[in-house]
Amino acid sequence: MSRRARTDARAIGLALCVWLAGLLLASPPAGSTPDEYQVKAAFLLNFARLVEWPQKAMAADRPIVVSVLGSQEVRDSIAAGIGDAVIGEHPVEVQRIDSASEIGGSHILFVTRERAQEPAEIFRTARRHAALVVGESEGFAESGGTINFFTEDRKLRFEINPDAAKASGLKISSRLLRLAVLVGEER
Amino acid sequence: MALLALALGTPALAQDLSTMDLEDLMEIEVTTVSKQARRMGESPAAVTVLTQDDIRRSGALSLPELLRGVPGLHVAQIDATHWSVSSRGFSDEFSNKLLVMVDGRSIYAPIFSGVLWNEHDLMLEDIERIEVVRGPGGTLWGANAVNGVIHIKTKPAAETQGVLTSLQAGSYEKANVAGRYGHAFGDRAHMRVYGKFADRDDFESPVRGSADDDWQSVRTGGRFDWRPTDSSMLTLQGDYYESDVDRVLVGAGASTEDNDGANVLLRLSHAFSDTSEVSLQGFWDRTGREQGLVEEDRDTFDVELQHSFSPLARNFVVWGAGYRTSSDDIDGSIGLNFSGSSRTDELYSFFVQDEITILPNLLALTVGTKLEDNDYTGLEVQPSGRLLFTPTEKHVFWGAVSRAVRTPSRVEDDVMFFQPTGPTTFQSVTGSHDVDSEDLLAYELGFRSTPHPRVNMDVALFWNDYDHLRSTEPYATVPNSPFPGATTQLARLDNELSGDSYGAEFAGMVRLTDWLRLSGTYTFTRLELSPTSASNDVTSEDMEGMTPRHQFGIRSQVDLPWDLELDTALFWVDRLQGQGVSSYTRVDARLAWQPMDGVELSIVGLNLAEEHTEFPNGTLTQASKVPRSVYGSIRWDVDWNLE
């Protein structure tokens, strides 16, 4: 096409850039809402306080290990949210894992929505290691997860599958159960 | 500096959160609209994602083979080293309406706007996911994303730590050897380096013995990721490859081809908040092709800026601008030549898209456009509008109207192609500077549902209205040329085809039990093309026939006791009408055993049902028969680090 059309294209492009720069400068400062995963980390701390692990899985003065099956970003965010919290006499450690085979030694396993496609093997391994499996995907608790986050009016809520907790040998306090939406396992 | 302070400001808030109890936490509003973290179910487009697990369990050892069974795509192996991969029709040796990227770097060859799959023999273990979007992606991605976008994303370096060794050998894969080492520099910097060598055998020709189409390739590269703060990231990655590809050229006999290439990509990104992120990416890509008929050297340099933010409540804006320059140096032959032995093309692009929440959790509208200025046709505008309706969390409806264009490639502008069409008949086709862009107006509807936690389904319907499609216009016959008694037909490329395509794509998945997963796909595609009254084109019926009308696929993944996995897949592909290719059934099977963590032994059978051809002879490549093949594989992943 002609030179003219090209000049026009650049002019339109430039005008739009200026308009957008204006929009950007006029936009309110971002970052007013907290990071989703830092809030979820705070929930995880509360879960850890209100769940009782079997004796063999929780040695005295050993740390509580939170494993994140997901990206490094989510791990970092959760680690930032947990900070250097201590539960009872247990410090809390956050690590990232890449597959179900690395679950051993974890007390809480957080499965991000990107990694929730193939949960069957995760649930099996987690039950063997008495890990509390927490997800954030629709149907996660029904298909065998113990706790699952969902949002309602932009606020975080969670559901609990008591059968899954029992199968893992975990005791969940009545206070936690009261705040949760209880779901059953669908077979 | 202010931005940095903002980013560092968040941990203070986190400290407060960690001491809050549940009742208070449940009152906090959170934002989850991150472009990357967006759930597949929420995108108003026909999307399929292949995860690393899907890749591993498919048993496929090359990129195009992995894409078999993705609804809406047609993957046909022409010979051992060439494939036609197309989305929603227009299958061809040089299929050109699909954009393919690896980590944000476009890998289609600008000379003909298609992908030479044998140049991209990636290390499959390092792929994190492959996102396939059917339908126009022109608004975000620009020209060439007419009928689909395939984005291959490799894992971040932090996820490929330790040492991986992978060996495969079998009846067709003579040797496939790959190794990778990943290293951490503290918590915030990670790298990996990898190398891969593959030696593959010939297929059989349908008419004589060996098809002379073996393939050797070497590839090496690495990736470095550095996260200086929690919200910023730097990625530097690159690859180098050489491939030695044989094939038989139609009318010209056996051809040995050497390809090599290298690329370097740098990307910087920073998140100001959950809803505001900026990234700047630049890459340089060099390819060298020494093929029987033509030699090409090409350097492409590309830089892109992208910014997403939420200027007003309920609005999420993504905009970006880019510049690309691509220079080639071409040495042709009598059979295939180009006017102008070297050429530099420039491309300026700009896009903006706004996602507007009309009714929270119910209705969202995404509108946007791309403006692109190229050296062939000037300014191209590619707008789209998409509507997402989510009446319940379990059901998603979407619809879209988009315009997309395919701008001419170097071939269409400059080619001079001369080929025998019979013992005494020849054809000479030349490109034209008047060739215009191919236009598409696409209408799409989709539905996704999770009727039960163990069941997913996805349906997409499309109707595409094409205009100015490329035609071949014969305009004269020259007697006694190139020798006495022979005739040569002269033809030039033009834009005199138009028509429709329509189709339906279905994908469903059922997790019957914890150990059995079944999935199925069905694809219906139909093209109806015709030349305008001014045209003498005779290619439209071939173009229609090269895409199968019906394709079925079924896949099962079974987790057996004793750490065994049994995976099987069956595909049925309809005949290619008028192309001499009949329907075929393909069966793949894989049995794998994990004797200990990090070790996988497997035996894989590919195309076990029948030897068959999948595609007719192309303009250049002679078709081979796809054989039955079996290979054994060992993968060993150890968590070992140089200290």
Side-chain angles (χ1 to χ4, degrees):
Chain A
M1 222 194 258
S2 65
R3 282 269 138 212
R4 210 188 118 74
R6 287 185 58 169
T7 320
D8 284 350
R10 281 175 204 157
I12 294 169
L14 189 69
L16 280 165
C17 281
V18 170
W19 170 73
L20 272 162
L23 249 185
L24 175 61
L25 290 175
S27 68
S32 47
T33 50
D35 177 283
E36 173 195 358
Y37 287 107
Q38 296 193 1
V39 181
K40 284 184 176 165
F43 273 91
L44 293 182
L45 283 175
N46 278 284
F47 297 159
R49 288 188 194 107
L50 299 170
V51 167
E52 206 179 296
W53 274 268
Q55 207 87 49
K56 66 172 169 67
M58 186 66 76
D61 63 75
R62 297 288 300 156
I64 290 178
V65 177
V66 176
S67 294
V68 177
L69 185 57
S71 68
Q72 189 67 26
E73 283 95 330
V74 174
R75 192 226 76 110
D76 291 349
S77 213
I78 287 189
I82 284 182
D84 35 42
V86 175
I87 293 172
E89 56 198 9
H90 305 281
V92 183
E93 259 176 29
V94 184
Q95 63 172 24
R96 196 191 74 80
I97 63 171
D98 203 33
S99 73
S101 60
E102 299 167 54
I103 290 174
S106 311
H107 297 96
I108 296 180
L109 173 69
F110 180 64
V111 183
T112 64
R113 54 178 81 90
E114 288 79 24
R115 299 300 300 268
Q117 293 95 345
E118 288 300 316
E121 194 189 347
I122 298 168
F123 297 150
R124 261 205 317 276
T125 321
R127 282 179 190 187
R128 217 163 52 228
H129 294 284
L132 173 72
V133 185
V134 183
E136 50 170 355
S137 319
E138 199 188 317
F140 188 84
E142 285 97 325
S143 61
T146 306
I147 303 187
N148 187 38
F149 286 115
F150 61 98
T151 48
E152 207 176 77
D153 296 334
R154 300 180 41 144
K155 290 169 186 167
L156 282 172
R157 298 284 178 269
F158 56 93
E159 34 189 31
I160 291 184
N161 174 347
D163 299 335
K166 207 173 286 167
S168 310
L170 301 170
K171 242 191 232 154
I172 296 185
S173 86
S174 55
R175 187 165 111 79
L176 191 54
L177 289 172
R178 252 201 328 275
L179 292 169
V181 174
L182 298 187
V183 297
E185 209 148 319
E186 293 185 28
R187 281 280 158 196
Chain B
M1 266 344 258
L3 299 171
L4 201 64
L6 240 176
L8 293 173
T10 39
L13 174 70
Q15 280 306 311
D16 298 334
L17 286 172
S18 72
T19 54
M20 283 169 75
D21 64 17
L22 284 170
E23 284 84 351
D24 296 331
L25 286 169
M26 289 171 82
E27 286 308 309
I28 293 180
E29 286 200 0
V30 293
T31 322
T32 53
V33 275
S34 148
K35 197 170 155 247
Q36 280 74 28
R38 168 175 293 276
R39 283 191 305 164
M40 195 169 94
E42 287 170 0
S43 41
V47 186
T48 303
V49 175
L50 300 177
T51 63
Q52 169 57 226
D53 211 47
D54 296 328
I55 293 171
R56 187 177 61 85
R57 296 189 77 153
S58 74
L61 291 175
S62 66
L63 282 180
E65 293 296 322
L66 280 176
L67 299 170
R68 277 186 203 276
V70 173
L73 296 193
H74 173 221
V75 176
Q77 187 159 20
I78 306 170
D79 71 353
T81 52
H82 294 81
W83 283 265
S84 157
V85 178
S86 62
S87 167
R88 295 184 170 173
F90 298 97
S91 301
D92 190 82
E93 173 183 18
F94 301 114
S95 51
N96 56 18
K97 293 175 182 55
L98 192 62
L99 175 63
V100 184
M101 292 180 292
V102 177
D103 290 331
R105 176 176 56 90
S106 155
I107 62 166
Y108 75 82
I111 189 167
F112 71 102
S113 303
V115 177
L116 284 166
W117 293 97
N118 58 44
E119 290 181 347
H120 306 285
D121 197 15
L122 307 192
M123 178 146 173
L124 302 185
E125 288 85 352
D126 286 352
I127 296 176
E128 182 171 52
R129 53 205 259 122
I130 301 178
E131 297 173 357
V132 182
V133 183
R134 288 108 59 192
T139 299
L140 280 180
W141 302 110
N144 225 47
V146 178
N147 280 355
V149 180
I150 296 177
H151 198 171
I152 298 149
K153 293 180 172 171
T154 67
K155 292 177 179 173
E159 303 194 10
T160 53
Q161 294 294 293
V163 177
L164 176 81
T165 316
S166 173
L167 304 168
Q168 288 81 35
S171 60
Y172 164 65
E173 295 285 338
K174 289 200 277 192
N176 195 325
V177 184
R180 174 244 289 153
Y181 171 66
H183 191 79
F185 307 95
D187 281 349
R188 296 197 168 270
H190 297 84
M191 59 83 79
R192 69 161 173 263
V193 286
Y194 77 90
K196 175 177 178 177
F197 167 77
D199 182 5
R200 285 139 173 156
D201 212 343
D202 299 299
F203 279 8
E204 295 279 304
S205 156
V207 286
R208 53 199 159 76
S210 160
D212 269 335
D213 53 0
D214 63 318
W215 172 21
Q216 289 78 41
S217 75
V218 184
R219 190 177 183 96
T220 179
R223 171 165 172 163
F224 173 73
D225 294 326
W226 180 43
R227 190 177 286 284
T229 70
D230 282 347
S231 48
S232 24
M233 172 109 164
L234 175 152
T235 295
L236 177 66
Q237 64 187 88
D239 307 274
Y240 172 79
Y241 66 85
E242 279 184 27
S243 67
D244 177 351
V245 173
D246 288 2
R247 67 170 150 174
V248 176
L249 293 170
V250 174
S255 159
T256 297
E257 311 183 343
D258 289 308
N259 302 322
D260 59 62
N263 65 76
V264 178
L265 178 140
L266 177 70
R267 182 171 41 239
L268 303 164
S269 62
H270 182 78
F272 302 120
S273 72
D274 273 3
T275 52
S276 171
E277 192 174 329
V278 67
S279 75
L280 178 67
Q281 168 188 296
F283 70 79
W284 165 76
D285 184 293
R286 178 180 181 79
T287 50
R289 302 186 180 109
E290 268 180 49
Q291 310 197 334
L293 295 170
V294 64
E295 292 181 11
E296 180 201 3
D297 283 309
R298 177 177 294 276
D299 284 283
T300 301
F301 177 76
D302 180 289
V303 54
E304 270 165 52
L305 174 76
Q306 186 169 322
H307 178 216
S308 53
F309 66 112
S310 185
L312 302 160
R314 298 188 172 192
N315 279 255
F316 184 68
V317 173
V318 187
W319 70 276
Y323 169 75
R324 176 178 298 176
T325 172
S326 187
S327 309
D328 62 27
D329 200 349
I330 295 178
D331 199 0
S333 60
I334 294 175
L336 181 59
N337 214 337
F338 289 78
S339 64
S341 66
S342 72
R343 173 165 178 166
T344 299
D345 290 321
E346 288 181 310
L347 184 74
Y348 298 87
S349 61
F350 174 85
F351 77 87
V352 58
Q353 175 178 294
D354 189 5
E355 187 184 315
I356 305 153
T357 307
I358 298 172
L359 296 165
N361 296 325
L362 194 63
L363 198 60
L365 172 70
T366 306
V367 286
T369 189
K370 178 124 186 170
L371 301 172
E372 196 171 74
D373 183 43
N374 70 81
D375 282 353
Y376 293 86
T377 60
L379 179 66
E380 298 286 359
V381 183
Q382 303 185 73
S384 75
R386 291 178 182 272
L387 203 59
L388 181 74
F389 175 54
T390 45
T392 72
E393 279 201 13
K394 292 187 166 72
H395 307 291
V396 175
F397 296 85
W398 60 270
V401 180
S402 356
R403 178 176 192 265
V405 303
R406 189 185 66 81
T407 55
S409 60
R410 175 85 142 103
V411 162
E412 289 152 294
D413 233 32
D414 294 331
V415 80
M416 292 178 283
F417 181 62
F418 182 75
Q419 193 182 35
T421 49
T424 59
T425 52
F426 294 81
Q427 191 186 35
S428 167
V429 180
T430 49
S432 158
H433 298 313
D434 295 331
V435 169
D436 215 338
S437 293
E438 298 181 327
D439 288 326
L440 164 65
L441 196 55
Y443 304 87
E444 297 175 90
L445 275 179
F447 169 60
R448 267 187 294 265
S449 168
T450 313
H452 182 274
R454 292 173 177 273
V455 181
N456 287 325
M457 52 186 276
D458 184 343
V459 182
L461 306 173
F462 71 91
W463 175 50
N464 285 350
D465 182 5
Y466 294 94
D467 226 337
H468 305 124
L469 288 171
R470 190 172 75 199
S471 60
T472 306
E473 304 291 341
Y475 61 92
T477 305
V478 186
N480 294 322
S481 164
F483 51 83
T487 53
T488 297
Q489 185 191 58
L490 304 180
R492 67 166 171 270
L493 298 178
D494 208 337
N495 294 91
E496 296 295 331
L497 290 184
S498 61
D500 301 336
S501 69
Y502 50 89
E505 294 140 9
F506 170 84
M509 195 272 283
V510 188
R511 267 195 331 266
L512 278 179
T513 67
D514 285 352
W515 48 269
L516 172 61
R517 191 180 107 142
L518 287 178
S519 52
T521 58
Y522 168 66
T523 301
F524 169 75
T525 318
R526 180 114 195 233
L527 276 74
E528 283 176 357
L529 308 173
S530 54
T532 62
S533 55
S535 172
N536 296 314
D537 182 276
V538 292
T539 62
S540 63
E541 281 186 17
D542 283 343
M543 227 181 260
E544 289 171 359
M546 303 251 248
T547 301
R549 284 204 189 155
H550 305 277
Q551 297 183 78
F552 292 97
I554 302 174
R555 203 181 274 283
S556 95
Q557 298 183 342
V558 186
D559 296 329
L560 296 170
W562 312 293
D563 300 304
L564 290 170
E565 291 173 344
L566 177 66
D567 304 319
T568 46
L570 183 145
F571 304 107
W572 182 84
V573 179
D574 203 358
R575 73 198 166 111
L576 303 186
Q577 217 151 17
Q579 306 302 309
V581 176
S582 39
S583 66
Y584 64 87
T585 306
R586 182 187 163 102
V587 174
D588 298 340
R590 166 181 178 273
L591 179 67
W593 179 44
Q594 293 186 331
M596 50 201 262
D597 278 357
V599 178
E600 183 197 271
L601 305 174
S602 62
I603 179 152
V604 178
L606 297 174
N607 188 34
L608 295 172
E610 51 175 353
E611 220 178 46
H612 60 264
T613 50
E614 299 189 347
F615 214 63
N617 285 343
T619 311
L620 294 182
T621 310
Q622 188 149 335
S624 310
K625 283 191 287 188
V626 180
R628 298 185 176 92
S629 68
V630 179
Y631 72 84
S633 162
I634 303 175
R635 285 200 182 94
W636 188 29
D637 196 352
V638 270
D639 203 4
W640 179 84
N641 241 285
L642 276 174
E643 285 307 333

